[in-house]
């Protein structure tokens, strides 16, 4: 990741089919992004790796895919209709909008946590310290106003007979409302977890930093339902597992750190983030929260359904505690791209850009490259054979050196070159993205060669 800037990442994404600006031909739509053919593969692989690690390999975790639109009472129970807003201030001079808590935290270089401050306390701090507009440098603020973060839409057949519904601002409520369903239908015994990957929507005041903070994003998260006695063990366990997941995706330990919260929500018993060294500095990548019995208790209260669990062995009845582990798929995508981005100077003095992605995340596992166009028939045969097992890409234009560079830039771990010898003895060269070393193999041996090298374990 040496010397990687956000501009370099954004340009690579745009030029190599990874991520485009949303609705670009209409001038874009602020802070929306579209994944291109290469990006969608990487993101899907990220989601697969997460699901494999946290659902497939854990017999006590069950997946769900809940509806984005939920009964509005869910958001009353979760507190979002009441409290999900940010304190915003506008600069009267340049009309830019900021979050008051961010202004304070940036000014104090993180030494002050504004999370638990009241609006009055924040206004006082900003005034006493004469915190200026980061955009135009003036000190001329509107008072703080609360800015609602939930997107509203409506449903109903007749005008005037519409109900407001919300685009979910977090996926986890889909797990809480299905706690009883999953427990009953799967005969699940506490402790067990429910996991989900899905879209969330937040009308963020200060989105930005490319896909770091957007108004529509995907979350990968799980809720572990457990007894109070075990809850801190699970909390610590998920801290370890969340970190290990990142290390196993080839993140360098120097670029990750735990950040324990010192101020907690009134119901929370512990909370911690993992920070990553993004191009714009250390920022939250994911969170692990001990949420006590708060969520299920609130849903019991608002739905009138008992959320108690009856332990079949001890006959004890209780509302389980919840440990939440949540990571944004898009934020992880940005971290993965940052971490994988490398510029290397080659022996001939040329620079190559290479995305050293974990092979399991690579958009294509194999690039099929006929040395010359008239080798196309044989190369297509190889493509057809390998694409039954792996995502492959085919490139026949430009010098072989240029084609290798293009594959390096999107992180393809193996390039298979078809040459005239291939026609004689069915062998090809396989080039390794990272070492650039080449070996010769029989076409029939390629699959077995690649399979163990692209596993995520
Ligand atoms: P932040 O403090 O950055 O706003 P948060 O603490 O509100 O994040 P959570 O509600 O705990 O975040 O969401 C869990 C994860 O979802 C975050 O760690 C992050 O990876 C991701 N996430 C949250 N908000 C956004 C967003 N607006 N855009 C992209 N990813 C997001």
């Amino acid at each position: 990741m040496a010397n990687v800037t956000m501009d370099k990442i954004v340009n690579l994404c745009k030029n190599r089919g990874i991520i485009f600006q949303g609705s670009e031909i209409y001038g874009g739509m602020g802070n929306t992004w579209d994944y291109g053919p290469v990006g969608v593969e990487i993101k899907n692989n990220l989601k697969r790796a997460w699901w494999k690690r946290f659902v497939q390999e854990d017999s006590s975790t069950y997946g769900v895919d809940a509806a984005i639109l939920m009964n509005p009472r869910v958001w009353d129970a979760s507190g979002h209709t009441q409290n999900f807003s940010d304190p915003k201030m506008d600069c009267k001079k340049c009309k830019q909008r900021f979050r008051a808590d961010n202004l304070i935290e940036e000014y104090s270089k993180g030494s002050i946590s504004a999370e638990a401050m009241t609006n009055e306390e924040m206004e006082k701090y900003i005034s006493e310290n004469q915190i200026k507009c980061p955009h135009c440098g003036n000190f001329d603020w509107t008072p703080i106003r609360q800015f609602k973060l939930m997107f509203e839409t409506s449903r109903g057949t007749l005008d005037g007979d519409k109900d407001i519904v919300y685009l979910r601002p977090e996926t986890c409520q889909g797990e809480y409302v299905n706690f009883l369903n999953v427990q009953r239908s799967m005969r699940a015994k506490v402790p067990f977890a429910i996991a989900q990957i899905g879209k969330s929507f937040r009308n963020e005041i200060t989105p930005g930093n490319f896909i770091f903070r957007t108004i529509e994003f995907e979350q990968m998260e799980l809720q572990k339902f457990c007894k109070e006695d075990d809850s801190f063990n699970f909390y610590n366990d998920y801290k370890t597992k969340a970190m290990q997941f990142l290390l196993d995706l080839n993140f360098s330990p120097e670029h990750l750190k735990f950040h324990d919260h010192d101020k907690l929500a009134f119901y929370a018993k512990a909370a911690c983030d993992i920070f990553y060294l993004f191009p714009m500095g250390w920022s939250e990548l994911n969170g692990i929260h001990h949420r006590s019995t708060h969520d299920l208790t609130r849903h019991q209260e608002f739905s009138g359904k008992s959320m108690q669990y009856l332990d079949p062995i001890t006959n004890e009845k209780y509302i389980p505690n919840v440990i939440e582990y949540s990571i944004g798929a898009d934020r992880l995508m940005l971290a993965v791209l940052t971490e994988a981005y490398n510029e290397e100077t080659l022996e001939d003095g040329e620079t190559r850009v290479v995305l050293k992605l974990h092979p399991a995340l690579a958009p294509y596992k194999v690039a099929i490259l006929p040395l010359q166009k008239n080798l196309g028939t044989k190369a297509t045969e190889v493509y057809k054979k390998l694409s039954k097992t792996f995502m492959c890409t085919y490139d026949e234009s430009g010098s072989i050196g240029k084609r290798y560079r293009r594959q390096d830039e999107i992180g393809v771990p193996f390039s298979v070159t078809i040459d005239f010898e291939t026609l004689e003895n069915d062998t090809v060269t396989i080039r390794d993205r990272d070492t650039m070393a080449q070996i010769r193999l029989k076409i029939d041996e390629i699959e077995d060669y690649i399979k163990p090298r692209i596993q995520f374990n």
Side-chain angles (χ1 to χ4, degrees):
M1 72 160 325
N3 300 327
V4 58
T5 60
M6 194 68 97
D7 280 350
K8 285 184 182 175
I9 301 278
V10 174
N11 284 333
L12 181 78
C13 285
K14 187 179 159 78
N15 295 325
R16 288 286 173 253
I18 302 174
I19 299 169
F20 309 120
Q21 194 185 356
S23 320
E24 192 174 347
I25 59 167
Y26 288 94
M29 153 93 187
N31 297 291
T32 64
W33 300 95
D34 295 341
Y35 285 77
V38 174
V40 71
E41 296 300 332
I42 303 176
K43 193 177 175 194
N44 281 343
N45 290 335
L46 265 177
K47 292 191 276 185
R48 268 187 215 117
W50 189 88
W51 197 262
K52 176 172 188 281
R53 174 63 57 89
F54 291 100
V55 183
Q56 181 180 326
E57 293 176 7
D58 183 342
S59 61
S60 65
T61 298
Y62 303 88
V64 295
D65 182 12
I68 287 175
L69 301 175
M70 303 181 83
N71 186 313
R73 291 282 288 158
V74 168
W75 308 113
D76 294 337
S78 69
H80 282 79
T81 30
Q82 286 266 306
N83 306 323
F84 196 48
S85 57
D86 274 344
K88 77 170 166 92
M89 286 178 105
D90 292 335
C91 169
K92 289 192 205 156
K93 285 277 180 326
C94 70
K95 312 289 181 220
Q96 292 284 313
R97 179 164 286 173
F98 296 92
R99 270 172 62 172
D101 52 339
N102 285 353
L103 286 174
I104 293 173
E105 281 164 12
E106 271 156 35
Y107 174 83
S108 69
K109 300 204 163 50
S111 66
I112 292 198
S113 165
E115 237 170 306
M117 284 169 111
T118 63
N119 285 357
E120 289 68 35
E121 285 167 343
M122 284 193 277
E123 277 175 356
K124 189 159 171 257
Y125 185 93
I126 287 169
S127 156
E128 279 175 2
N129 292 283
Q130 291 282 301
I131 302 179
K132 298 195 172 66
C133 169
H135 186 246
C136 71
N138 283 293
F139 178 80
D140 195 1
W141 297 109
T142 61
I144 295 177
R145 272 168 297 181
Q146 288 306 123
F147 183 82
K148 283 201 166 172
L149 295 179
M150 275 207 293
F151 281 106
E152 285 180 13
T153 184
S154 56
R155 84 176 295 273
T157 43
L158 297 172
D159 264 356
D161 185 21
K162 286 181 178 163
D163 291 320
I164 289 180
V165 287
Y166 301 97
L167 299 187
R168 67 181 176 198
E170 58 183 24
T171 46
C172 56
Q173 299 301 330
E175 281 106 295
Y176 303 145
V177 300
N178 280 300
F179 167 70
L180 296 175
N181 283 337
V182 172
Q183 194 274 317
R184 181 182 39 79
S185 60
M186 306 309 288
R187 290 170 291 117
K189 292 196 179 63
V190 171
F192 71 93
I194 310 183
Q196 177 167 213
I197 298 179
K199 287 244 172 171
S200 292
F201 303 82
R202 293 183 191 174
N203 199 1
E204 300 270 10
I205 299 176
T206 47
N209 286 321
F210 193 31
I211 52 170
F212 177 81
R213 187 183 302 287
T214 49
I215 54 177
E216 171 182 342
F217 55 97
E218 260 181 301
Q219 290 184 302
M220 310 192 284
E221 47 85 24
L222 61 82
Q223 312 295 316
K224 183 90 177 183
F225 301 96
C226 56
K227 252 182 121 160
E228 186 171 0
D229 298 353
D230 298 336
S231 60
F232 277 94
N233 286 342
F234 285 117
Y235 174 73
N236 289 323
D237 196 32
Y238 275 109
K239 276 176 74 169
T240 311
K241 283 179 173 162
M243 182 61 92
Q244 195 58 49
F245 174 65
L246 298 168
L247 296 174
D248 292 345
L249 286 177
N250 294 348
F251 277 86
S252 154
E254 288 91 67
H255 301 153
L256 297 166
K257 64 180 180 191
F258 284 114
H259 170 81
D260 290 310
H261 292 205
D262 43 6
K263 294 251 165 58
L264 298 174
F266 72 91
Y267 53 80
K269 292 198 180 151
C272 160
D273 298 326
I274 294 178
F275 273 38
Y276 173 66
L277 188 54
F278 285 96
M280 68 285 183
W282 286 101
S283 308
E284 175 181 333
L285 174 57
N286 69 210
I288 300 110
H289 299 146
H290 187 320
R291 303 182 55 87
S292 72
T293 56
H294 175 73
D295 306 284
L296 292 184
T297 306
R298 292 281 290 185
H299 283 300
Q300 172 167 290
E301 207 178 295
F302 280 70
S303 69
K305 294 271 183 311
S306 169
M307 291 289 165
Q308 288 199 323
Y309 170 74
L310 173 65
D311 188 310
I313 295 166
T314 62
N315 271 337
E316 211 184 331
K317 254 187 162 184
Y318 60 93
I319 295 188
N321 276 243
V322 167
I323 306 300
E324 172 181 68
Y325 156 46
S326 176
I327 181 162
D330 310 272
R331 210 174 270 190
L332 179 57
M333 176 90 179
L334 179 60
V336 158
L337 293 174
T338 306
E339 190 69 12
Y341 186 95
N342 273 278
E343 285 174 5
E344 291 177 356
T345 310
L346 303 176
E347 275 171 14
D348 60 7
E350 244 194 82
T351 304
R352 79 160 181 154
V353 171
V354 52
L355 272 191
K356 292 195 169 169
L357 293 171
H358 187 297
L361 302 182
Y364 308 105
K365 307 308 176 199
V366 195
I368 315 291
L369 313 174
L371 199 58
Q372 291 184 11
K373 280 197 177 146
N374 56 6
L375 292 162
T377 312
K378 188 69 184 170
T380 309
E381 231 177 73
V382 177
Y383 179 90
K384 280 198 176 143
K385 180 176 164 63
L386 294 182
S387 61
K388 292 206 185 298
T389 312
F390 311 112
M391 263 322 274
C392 298
T393 178
Y394 185 95
D395 188 2
E396 58 175 20
S397 58
S399 73
I400 193 73
K402 281 217 177 87
R403 283 186 270 164
Y404 284 149
R405 287 299 99 78
R406 280 202 286 268
Q407 301 308 327
D408 291 342
E409 283 188 11
I410 58 169
V412 178
F414 300 105
S415 292
V416 166
T417 308
I418 313 311
D419 53 25
F420 289 100
E421 210 184 318
T422 314
L423 301 182
E424 286 162 23
N425 60 11
D426 260 358
T427 62
V428 294
T429 59
I430 297 203
R431 171 187 178 270
D432 181 288
R433 174 195 71 196
D434 297 339
T435 62
M436 294 186 283
Q438 301 191 13
I439 57 163
R440 209 152 179 109
L441 277 184
K442 284 246 178 234
I443 291 172
D444 281 345
E445 294 166 344
I446 303 176
E447 256 183 69
D448 286 345
Y449 177 80
I450 291 178
K451 265 189 193 158
R453 291 174 167 78
I454 58 168
Q455 288 288 330
F456 176 65
N457 287 318

